[in-house]
Amino acid sequence: MKKVKIYVTLRESVLDPQGSAVMGSLHKMGYGQVEDVRIGKYLELMIADGEKDIDALVNEMCHRLLTNTVIEDYRFEIEEAVSQ
Amino acid sequence: MKKVKIYVTLRESVLDPQGSAVMGSLHKMGYGQVEDVRIGKYLELMIADGEKDIDALVNEMCHRLLTNTVIEDYRFEIEEAVSQ
């Protein structure tokens, strides 16, 4: 079993209203040293063994469903996982 | 400037309906090898230099605002960032 960790972030050029709202709240709570907040998604996929090209599989799933590549970037890591 | 990357995940014991929905979609699209999907949040904070104990600061912000520690776990990494 493989564990794939996918990090999805908004592209630099895209406004992040959710991040701005969180930063505003942090400032009101006294954390003025926080200069920027960006919020993205973190996905963990468990994939059965036997896949030949897991990189290509993950890229395909990211493009078809998991991310919006117009406004988002993604990167991923693949780890060996012990099945439970 | 420090860049803090925070990964927030649902605790193991907590159901993840969003992850289940994504897994269902992946299966319908033919990706039957995906055995589990869990979805969390990924936050990037930029913090001004001069903070004495940045670990304690980030933990405090996570507990007070950024995460719900009843149902979520988090971990974070701190990197040196070049200000733009």
Side-chain angles (χ1 to χ4, degrees):
Chain A
M1 187 108 75
K2 297 277 191 293
K3 183 183 221 174
V4 182
K5 297 177 172 180
I6 308 175
Y7 309 95
V8 184
T9 47
L10 281 171
R11 284 172 184 259
E12 286 286 330
S13 55
V14 177
L15 283 177
D16 180 1
Q18 194 187 1
S20 301
V22 168
M23 187 167 67
S25 297
L26 287 171
H27 284 180
K28 280 184 201 145
M29 292 167 76
Y31 302 109
Q33 61 274 69
V34 177
E35 298 194 353
D36 194 29
V37 178
R38 306 278 291 176
I39 298 183
K41 282 182 293 184
Y42 170 63
L43 294 93
E44 283 183 358
L45 271 62
M46 300 298 287
I47 298 182
D49 285 324
E51 197 58 41
K52 270 171 286 180
D53 191 347
I54 197 159
D55 269 50
L57 176 76
V58 174
N59 275 315
E60 191 182 294
M61 290 193 293
C62 282
H63 279 266
R64 288 186 64 196
L65 181 74
L66 303 177
T67 73
N68 176 352
T69 53
V70 177
I71 58 166
E72 292 172 332
D73 287 321
Y74 67 91
R75 63 192 165 82
F76 60 87
E77 297 161 4
I78 300 168
E79 292 176 2
E80 194 62 45
V82 182
S83 50
Q84 286 143 349
Chain B
M1 188 108 72
K2 297 279 190 293
K3 183 184 224 174
V4 181
K5 298 177 172 180
I6 307 174
Y7 309 95
V8 184
T9 48
L10 281 171
R11 283 171 184 260
E12 285 287 331
S13 55
V14 178
L15 284 176
D16 180 0
Q18 193 187 0
S20 301
V22 168
M23 187 167 68
S25 296
L26 287 172
H27 285 181
K28 279 185 202 144
M29 292 165 78
Y31 302 110
Q33 62 274 70
V34 177
E35 299 192 355
D36 193 30
V37 179
R38 306 277 292 176
I39 299 184
K41 282 181 294 185
Y42 170 63
L43 294 92
E44 284 182 356
L45 272 61
M46 301 299 285
I47 298 182
D49 285 325
E51 198 58 41
K52 271 171 284 179
D53 190 347
I54 198 160
D55 271 49
L57 177 76
V58 174
N59 276 314
E60 191 182 295
M61 290 191 295
C62 283
H63 280 266
R64 289 186 65 194
L65 181 74
L66 303 177
T67 73
N68 176 351
T69 53
V70 176
I71 57 166
E72 292 171 332
D73 288 320
Y74 67 91
R75 62 191 165 83
F76 60 87
E77 297 162 4
I78 300 168
E79 292 176 2
E80 194 61 47
V82 182
S83 49
Q84 285 144 346

